Amino acid sequence: MTEALKRDYRICEEIGRGRFGVVRRCEPLRPSAEPSSASSLAVKSIDKSAVSGDDLDSHCLLMEPKVLSLLSPHPNLLRIHSTYEDSSHLHLVLDLCDSPDLHLAVASAGPLPEPEAARILSQLMCAVAHCHRHGVVHRDIKPDNILFDSRGRLRLADFGSAEVIGGDPAARLKGVVGTPYYVAPEVVEGREYGEKVDLWSAGVVLYVMLAGFPPFNGESVAEIFGAVLRANLRFPPRAFRSASATAKDLLRKMLCRDVSRRFSADQVLRHPWLTSFGGGAEAADLQI
């Protein structure tokens, strides 16, 4: 760990561990120039030796600090406070989100009531709209990457798979990136794609919040990808018996195979299902 990091922060207990490193709680040792800074933060220490020579792994290592610096601050994005590097590790000091992520919340409590799902989707769309305005495509939106801070506010995290396409609406990406249940059909097909892959993924997140399971399923990655490509969106009565017509309408518009007809983040924020629960475009204006 760098001397500069230990000089600026007290490194505390481990709170998470992943393929590339460890996350620990940390506390600033010096008063911050930013009065809004939290007293407890998290330091994500990425082990460079765990990153192979593979281009994708190296890309993930480099992209997260770059993208978070470009996008911060925003109330619904995980904020990067500082970066440190030594010969073996890259250390990112981030907001601390020690509440269960959305995946754990749904796994433990089951499907969410529509007002709660709408509150979460509204905040997620605020984050996604902010990313897209800055030319950033997240490419791995899923419940595991949707965190909550101590006030219960959503924080979109893990920008290791993100790509910056800039302000050109015609810019396109390639490559199968993301998590099988949440990846858009155009990605699976190997076609060029743009920011609307994030809207497909967010639509799957909404479906999971309301049903407790993903809309496109399978026993293997190949089977899941086959279901994604068919894009046969169904609403099983056992899970959607009490779901509103407007919720199903929004799901159809987010999980639309035709990219030209798939909703944008701003369109989702204006949809009646969100605005009826006090979220949507008006809430977005307050947060951005």
Side-chain angles (χ1 to χ4, degrees):
M1 218 164 267
T2 70
E3 290 302 317
L5 174 61
K6 291 190 287 187
R7 184 179 64 243
D8 293 342
Y9 296 93
R10 178 182 294 108
I11 310 302
C12 306
E13 73 276 10
E14 180 180 318
I15 55 176
R17 182 175 287 268
R19 185 160 63 108
F20 294 137
V22 177
V23 180
R24 296 180 176 89
R25 189 173 65 83
C26 67
E27 298 172 351
L29 290 173
R30 298 189 295 175
S32 171
E34 304 170 61
S36 61
S37 291
S39 58
S40 286
L41 301 166
V43 56
K44 180 177 183 178
S45 299
I46 301 169
D47 183 357
K48 293 179 181 179
S49 67
V51 179
S52 70
D54 181 79
D55 287 343
L56 181 59
D57 286 347
S58 300
H59 176 89
C60 291
L61 177 68
L62 297 171
M63 282 306 294
E64 187 162 35
K66 176 183 175 182
V67 171
L68 287 175
S69 297
L70 172 66
L71 295 172
S72 292
H74 186 278
N76 296 123
L77 294 177
L78 198 65
R79 184 176 183 181
I80 186 166
H81 292 261
S82 48
T83 304
Y84 301 83
E85 187 170 6
D86 55 35
S87 59
S88 60
H89 286 80
L90 177 67
H91 307 280
L92 310 180
V93 178
L94 306 161
D95 291 325
L96 176 67
C97 293
D98 50 3
S99 299
D101 61 39
L102 183 59
H103 171 77
L104 292 173
V106 174
S108 62
L112 305 181
E114 285 194 29
E116 177 66 8
R119 184 187 70 82
I120 291 171
L121 184 69
S122 180
Q123 293 180 75
L124 176 59
M125 287 296 98
C126 288
V128 172
H130 180 76
C131 291
H132 293 176
R133 288 188 198 104
H134 287 76
V136 173
V137 185
H138 186 284
R139 300 205 293 178
D140 196 20
I141 292 175
K142 58 183 178 180
D144 315 58
N145 291 337
I146 297 171
L147 312 181
F148 300 93
D149 63 21
S150 58
R151 292 189 288 174
R153 184 169 56 188
L154 180 147
R155 300 296 190 96
L156 180 59
D158 198 347
F159 283 80
S161 299
E163 193 65 75
V164 181
I165 59 175
D168 182 3
R172 290 292 178 266
L173 301 169
K174 284 206 77 173
V176 180
V177 178
T179 302
Y181 292 112
Y182 300 89
V183 73
E186 58 268 31
V187 177
V188 178
E189 289 175 333
R191 293 191 281 130
E192 293 185 334
Y193 55 85
E195 63 186 26
K196 284 193 175 179
V197 297
D198 287 345
L199 275 298
W200 177 279
S201 301
V204 178
V205 169
L206 174 57
Y207 191 104
V208 169
M209 285 195 288
L210 296 177
F213 54 85
F216 311 111
N217 225 321
E219 296 297 320
S220 65
V221 171
E223 287 185 12
I224 296 167
F225 279 172
V228 168
L229 289 173
R230 289 190 294 275
N232 185 12
L233 182 62
R234 297 182 178 182
F235 301 108
R238 65 186 174 87
F240 284 90
R241 183 173 290 108
S242 61
S244 66
T246 51
K248 295 176 185 177
D249 178 71
L250 179 55
L251 281 166
R252 290 187 187 99
K253 286 168 177 169
M254 296 177 76
L255 295 172
C256 178
R257 204 179 190 290
D258 183 344
V259 179
S260 67
R261 292 173 52 234
R262 189 182 305 159
F263 264 21
S264 68
D266 288 327
Q267 285 176 305
V268 173
L269 286 164
R270 292 194 296 268
H271 190 274
W273 186 72
L274 279 187
T275 58
S276 68
F277 290 112
E282 185 176 340
D285 290 339
L286 291 173
Q287 293 195 60
I288 293 173

